[in-house]
Amino acid sequence: GEDVEQSLFLSVREGDSSVINCTYTDSSSTYLYWYKQEPGAGLQLLTYIFSNMDMKQDQRLTVLLNKKDKHLSLRIADTQTGDSAIYFCAEKFEASNSGYALNFGKGTSLLVTP
Amino acid sequence: NAGVTQTPKFQVLKTGQSMTLQCAQDMNHEYMSWYRQDPGMGLRLIHYSVGAGITDQGEVPNGYNVSRSTTEDFPLRLLSAAPSQTSVYFCASSPHSIRQGNNSPLHFGNGTRLTVT
């Protein structure tokens, strides 16, 4: 897949909101995902959004989707030190005639300071 | 359920050696895949499988082989290790073959950290 773009670093203070942005490439992507990776661990699914939705809220997480601009964002309300991690945006794409795969961005490192 | 299990967690190889990275899932997932993660490169797809007996190449397949003889296992073989294959390798599975219209998030293992000297 082509590049899914994310900013590499974000630093916020504990209690503030964090907004992580992503631009994706495939206008036909049906699902877009946010994953979280803590140090030394695998990727953990945080949330996802279907392409016919503009917004999805899940507790402290809000996902906004702008299909026209192919822009996805993840907002974390009341950010905590435990939210410090790398966040990956991913889009579904057609890998071949036999199936699809996920195309990941390079990840945004979120640092939450006390 | 143990989820997706990868072994070993760490491995050091010399250039030219071969080895197999193991991946097993106990969730009866149809879809399995291998990614490598490198600093500044994000995750790149190596190979994937939409079911037992079916495999296909991803973005960076050169130097790697896979097979899918059972639903549970999807080993990744390095035929002749090179320093460029130093990376963290993740196996991931999904209930469905990520067909268009299906929400099929990937479940990841904890990774294998490979160093080739």
Side-chain angles (χ1 to χ4, degrees), chain B residues 87-101:
Chain B
S87 187
V88 181
Y89 291 86
F90 287 102
C91 179
S93 70
S94 172
H96 308 291
S97 296
I98 315 190
R99 297 187 195 92
Q100 186 72 297

Side-chain angles (χ1 to χ4, degrees), chain A:
Chain A
E2 296 178 30
D3 284 348
V4 173
E5 300 285 345
Q6 300 179 240
S7 53
L8 293 182
F9 300 102
L10 177 65
S11 179
V12 300
R13 290 201 170 181
E14 191 173 16
D16 288 349
S17 291
S18 309
V19 179
I20 302 172
N21 293 302
C22 168
T23 55
Y24 60 97
T25 59
D26 189 348
S27 58
S28 64
S29 290
T30 52
Y31 286 95
L32 296 135
Y33 302 91
W34 284 103
Y35 283 85
K36 176 183 180 182
Q37 184 182 32
E38 296 182 350
L43 277 71
Q44 171 194 3
L45 178 68
L46 271 184
T47 188
Y48 66 91
I49 189 166
F50 187 50
S51 58
N52 70 352
M53 300 167 66
D54 298 325
M55 184 183 86
K56 180 179 179 182
Q57 190 150 0
D58 185 0
Q59 299 182 339
R60 291 191 297 122
L61 305 178
T62 303
V63 179
L64 295 178
L65 175 60
N66 180 331
K67 280 194 71 176
K68 175 174 168 290
D69 296 336
K70 290 186 276 188
H71 183 266
L72 184 72
S73 68
L74 174 70
R75 178 177 180 269
I76 306 173
D78 186 25
T79 313
Q80 303 297 308
T81 54
D83 294 324
S84 293
I86 302 176
Y87 291 81
F88 291 91
C89 166
E91 62 172 350
K92 260 175 70 169
F93 75 99
E94 185 174 352
S96 73
N97 289 337
S98 64
Y100 290 78
L102 294 189
N103 189 22
F104 287 86
K106 292 181 172 55
T108 299
S109 291
L110 174 65
L111 176 65
V112 183
T113 56

Side-chain angles (χ1 to χ4, degrees), chain B:
Chain B
N1 286 350
V4 179
T5 303
Q6 291 184 239
T7 55
K9 291 185 178 170
F10 301 95
Q11 182 70 50
V12 179
L13 291 177
K14 293 188 176 179
T15 298
Q17 287 185 313
S18 62
M19 80 157 293
T20 299
L21 280 63
Q22 302 291 344
C23 175
Q25 51 88 11
D26 61 358
M27 300 174 282
N28 201 32
H29 282 179
E30 194 173 278
Y31 179 97
M32 296 185 76
S33 56
W34 278 101
Y35 286 83
R36 59 177 288 174
Q37 183 179 26
D38 302 293
M41 301 292 290
L43 280 87
R44 293 181 291 171
L45 181 66
I46 304 171
H47 285 284
Y48 66 99
S49 168
V50 300
I54 306 169
T55 63
D56 214 334
Q57 295 182 348
E59 182 185 355
V60 288
N62 291 343
Y64 307 96
N65 273 357
V66 291
S67 59
R68 185 90 181 275
S69 55
T70 66
T71 300
E72 295 78 20
D73 300 298
F74 191 45
L76 178 73
R77 296 184 188 84
L78 279 70
L79 309 171
S80 177
S84 61
Q85 293 178 305
T86 293
S87 187
V88 181
Y89 291 86
F90 287 102
C91 179
S93 70
S94 172
H96 308 291
S97 296
I98 315 190
R99 297 187 195 92
Q100 186 72 297
N102 279 356
N103 177 22
S104 301
L106 291 174
H107 300 254
F108 281 82
N110 285 330
T112 295
R113 283 147 186 82
L114 175 68
T115 301
V116 183
T117 60

